[in-house]
Amino acid sequence: MNEQMAQSRGGRRNVSSGSPYEPVIGFSRAVRVGNMVAVGGTTAGSGGGLIGKGDPAAQTRAILDIIAKALKDAGAELKDVVRTRIYLVDIAHWEAVGKVHGEVFGEIRPAASILEVSRFINPDWLVEIEADAVIGAGI
């Protein structure tokens, strides 16, 4: 079934970031089913390099840019985001990360969670964010 037919039937569309790990681990950057888009855990590790080493705010900006691109590739926009989940290795970074989240989402104000985790695969990652969107739910 081609992509257009899958979309018209509310089918599943996987959106790739091009990461070589996607087929190995079995994940997609985002998945669209009907008008819903789920963007998987996103870090500032992009294209072989880390953006914002040691800077949780810079990592958050980079992550939200990556999420915005994944949403666009799936036919959605940041304004369609209804939920984010923010994972931090140091909960003390919540204000710096939250400020950037607030700058990006402004009046959209998705439901959000901020959680502390013990670590990520790469010890230089400070933040990981997931997002869920409903196309057409934007303000």
Side-chain angles (χ1 to χ4, degrees), residues 4-136:
Q4 187 175 16
M5 287 176 62
Q7 285 299 320
S8 68
R9 293 185 181 169
R12 176 190 183 103
R13 183 172 107 193
N14 293 341
V15 176
S16 174
S17 67
S19 167
Y21 297 109
E22 288 179 13
V24 174
I25 298 172
F27 75 96
S28 298
R29 168 61 41 227
V31 176
R32 177 175 175 174
V33 178
N35 69 338
M36 298 186 69
V37 179
V39 180
T42 304
T43 65
S46 176
L50 175 69
I51 299 167
K53 184 173 181 178
D55 184 343
Q59 287 190 19
T60 301
R61 280 187 195 88
I63 290 165
L64 293 175
D65 286 346
I66 294 166
I67 287 173
K69 182 185 182 317
L71 289 166
K72 182 178 178 186
D73 292 346
E77 300 177 58
L78 285 171
K79 70 179 184 177
D80 297 317
V81 172
V82 296
R83 179 158 186 64
T84 58
R85 290 170 204 84
I86 303 167
Y87 303 96
L88 306 173
V89 292
D90 184 347
I91 201 67
H93 295 153
W94 78 268
E95 286 184 89
V97 170
K99 182 177 180 192
V100 174
H101 185 278
E103 290 169 1
V104 170
F105 287 105
E107 291 301 313
I108 300 165
R109 296 177 59 187
S113 301
I114 299 177
L115 306 162
E116 184 177 42
V117 297
S118 62
R119 63 183 172 179
F120 296 121
I121 294 169
N122 182 327
D124 291 327
W125 295 345
L126 304 174
V127 183
E128 183 171 327
I129 301 175
E130 300 174 337
D132 297 324
V134 177
I135 298 170

